[in-house]
Amino acid sequence: MRLGIDAVGQAGGIVEGAVCYTGDVSDPERGLYDLEYYLHFVRELEAAGIHVLAIKDMAGLLKPNAATMLVGAIRNEFPNLPIHVHTHDTAGTGVASMLAAAHAGADAVDSATDALSGTTAQPSLGALVASTKGTDLDTGLNLTEVSMLNEYWEEARGLYAPFESGQKSGSADVYIHEMPGGQYTNLLYQSTQLGLTGQWSHVKTAYAAANRLLGDIIKVTPSSKVTGDLAQFIVANNLTEHEVVEKAEELSFPNSVIEYFQGYLGIPPFGFPEPLRSRVLKGRTIEGTDGLSCFDGRPGAQLPPYDFDINRKTLEEKWSADKISDYDVMSHAMYPQVFDEFMERQEEYGKLSYLDTRTFLTGMKVDQELNVSLEKGKQLIVKLISVGETSDDGIVNIQFELNGQPRSVHVKDKRSGVAETKRLKALKGVTGSIGAAMPGVVLETKVKKGDKVKKGDPLVLMSAMKMETIITSPCDGVVKQVVVTAGDQLDGGDLCVEIDES
């Protein structure tokens, strides 16, 4: 964190350092993350030169009594340090906790407009405004005016209704599984897409187990993704906590889990759990290093300098100079694969940001005419003429007018129910018959027919809802056949590779 703190300070910015909250400081039996742990961390941040302290309660675990203890202790030791508290209202205690934090000395607390508040979002702004009116903590905001603004967001939220998670109420079991609010709804959706419909309760239980397996870590992006990936992996493969440890050397863990144990996210405050870490990393090395199995300290310190000029030139050659900005260079530096996917999609479909929200989310109706403004003085007029019937192979003919000229396109109807080619399943009990551990898309095949492989060698790289998994060889042998190619959509258990054991 010192690198970022120093850089922002040298640039003349306001440095707000965050201490991420997990556990329960009000419970002496909770374990690792006690009051002294947080005070020690704040001391280090203050000594590093921060201007503002943020307490980042990602999962909404900061109970009212804990908020009083934590904020009160920090305020007592650092009377002049501005304190900013962020939480989520998953359990429904957010308003009470933020009021407790304010009474204990917090200078600012996060909230959300009423229409977007509660559950995994932040606690209600209106409730905090009303609760503090006429007290020493009066916000100075007018509840009537706040409510008028909220009316706009009530209508706006309706536009995004198709993307709602379906969560109807708060859930106090967050104190058990400790899932961050921002991840809760995403993981609920991802689990459905991964074929785990109806198993959400199992995913939450597995999340708590995954946290224990990883060493009771602070769960915030990207460490929360590691925990979520492992939880879904456990449920999809019907594993117990004990089996994950015992079978670690032969399981094809998600990439995020492997990279966590290799130190890509740094070293956890209380170290990596053993023997799981050693078993997961057995026979693995970090690509681009001289046989290194795990980073020692900050991983960025052991990477070669990033050449922005050369990489900008490479991007300009690939996508053309007029399409590459400083933001694009930074995006590619941090997320190269995601950036390339974004550019490929934009090359195919154009910039969909030109469309209004309602059309983007719900599409056009027959006979509807749409004006699309590309730039000043340049407009497209699109009119939908007809939507044909779905053909036997799942294709729909769309007829429309573009600036008065008739056009047509053929689009695959994903809701048609037209069956894809049925895939073979890996044979249970046959070591050399290797299937997909979870549903997903094949990104890359690492071997071909006739290749000699050893146990642990990578065979296929897959991706499912941002979770990458490398399918590895469970044995030594020769590749008999590879039955998948890049772009294939697989279900769990679908055959990928067959190996003749040696």
Side-chain angles (χ1 to χ4, degrees), residues 303-312 315 328-334 336:
L303 294 175
Y306 188 85
D307 194 319
F308 287 95
D309 292 332
I310 289 179
N311 283 282
R312 172 185 279 277
L315 292 175
D328 294 324
V329 176
M330 291 299 297
S331 295
H332 184 267
M334 295 183 287

Side-chain angles (χ1 to χ4, degrees), residues 311-425:
N311 283 282
R312 172 185 279 277
K313 185 177 180 180
T314 301
L315 292 175
E316 289 176 346
E317 290 175 352
K318 184 174 183 178
W319 303 109
S320 79
D322 62 318
K323 295 181 179 179
I324 300 300
S325 67
D326 290 341
Y327 296 108
D328 294 324
V329 176
M330 291 299 297
S331 295
H332 184 267
M334 295 183 287
Y335 308 106
Q337 183 179 329
V338 175
F339 177 80
D340 284 342
E341 289 175 357
F342 168 76
M343 292 299 288
E344 288 167 2
R345 191 172 183 84
Q346 192 161 266
E347 284 286 301
E348 184 175 1
Y349 297 107
K351 290 187 177 181
L352 298 180
S353 57
Y354 292 124
L355 295 176
D356 63 276
T357 301
R358 188 178 295 278
T359 302
F360 177 79
L361 295 178
T362 64
M364 296 177 65
K365 294 181 172 58
V366 174
D367 291 330
Q368 179 184 349
E369 193 171 270
L370 183 67
N371 291 331
V372 181
S373 179
L374 301 180
E375 58 186 60
K376 189 174 182 179
K378 187 175 182 180
Q379 281 195 331
L380 297 178
I381 301 175
V382 183
K383 182 177 181 180
L384 181 59
I385 303 301
S386 68
V387 179
E389 296 292 329
T390 304
S391 65
D392 292 340
D393 54 356
I395 301 298
V396 176
N397 182 41
I398 309 292
Q399 294 185 328
F400 62 100
E401 290 180 357
L402 180 61
N403 290 343
Q405 299 298 313
R407 302 286 181 90
S408 67
V409 291
H410 294 87
V411 180
K412 184 172 180 59
D413 184 358
K414 295 181 180 179
R415 298 171 298 179
S416 64
V418 175
E420 301 286 345
T421 303
K422 190 171 183 180
R423 293 187 172 276
L424 297 173
K425 293 291 184 180

Side-chain angles (χ1 to χ4, degrees), residues 87-108:
T87 192
H88 291 258
D89 199 20
T90 308
T93 54
V95 171
S97 294
M98 293 305 94
L99 288 173
H103 281 291
D107 298 282

Side-chain angles (χ1 to χ4, degrees), residues 103-134:
H103 281 291
D107 298 282
V109 299
D110 285 349
S111 59
T113 188
D114 297 1
L116 304 177
S117 69
T119 59
T120 55
Q122 281 65 56
S124 161
L125 171 63
L128 289 171
V129 169
S131 298
T132 56
K133 184 178 180 181

Side-chain angles (χ1 to χ4, degrees), residues 1 78 104 137 188 212 286 321 373 424 480:
M1 293 177 68
F78 303 95
L137 299 174
L188 177 58
R212 290 190 294 269
I286 299 173
S373 179
L424 297 173
K480 183 178 179 182

